[in-house]
């Protein structure tokens, strides 16, 4: 995930979430093998922005190597539910019951 894509992801997600009046969103990271400080910061900013819009956020697909990198970078997703798989996130979501 390069800087340009992470900026695009952030702006498009915020635009569409507001447009669709979402109350819950799952961010799936299963297709991402590596993460850099810039992307981690964009992801954190995106989550905070979604929270300011009243949109609850969960993260899925956090593989061990990605988790280790995030911890090494000092990034914390405190208060954001994280799940290994999308199925787990959906099964725990109060919006899917």
């Amino acid at each position: 995930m390069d800087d340009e894509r992470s900026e695009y992801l952030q702006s498009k997600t915020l635009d569409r979430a507001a447009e669709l009046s979402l109350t819950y969103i799952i961010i799936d990271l299963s297709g991402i093998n590596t993460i850099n400080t810039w992307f981690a910061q964009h992801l954190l900013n995106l989550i905070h922005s979604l929270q300011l819009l009243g949109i609850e956020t969960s993260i899925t697909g956090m593989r061990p190597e990605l988790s280790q990198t995030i911890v090494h970078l000092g990034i914390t997703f405190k208060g954001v539910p994280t799940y290994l798989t999308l199925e787990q996130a959906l099964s725990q979501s109060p919006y899917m019951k």
Side-chain angles (χ1 to χ4, degrees), residues 55-75:
I55 301 169
E56 292 182 50
T57 305
S58 292
I59 298 174
T60 66
M62 190 83 71
R63 288 182 279 188
E65 60 275 8
L66 191 58
S67 298
Q68 288 176 334
T69 303
I70 288 171
V71 168
H72 179 72
L73 293 172
I75 304 293

Side-chain angles (χ1 to χ4, degrees), residues 23-70:
T23 55
Y24 181 70
I25 191 168
I26 298 171
I27 299 173
D28 183 26
L29 302 176
S30 61
I32 297 177
N33 296 321
T34 59
I35 191 170
N36 62 25
T37 306
W38 188 254
F39 175 72
Q41 192 59 51
H42 273 190
L43 182 58
L44 201 54
N45 289 344
L46 173 60
I47 291 168
H48 290 150
S49 298
L50 289 165
Q51 289 172 338
L52 287 173
L53 292 173
I55 301 169
E56 292 182 50
T57 305
S58 292
I59 298 174
T60 66
M62 190 83 71
R63 288 182 279 188
E65 60 275 8
L66 191 58
S67 298
Q68 288 176 334
T69 303
I70 288 171

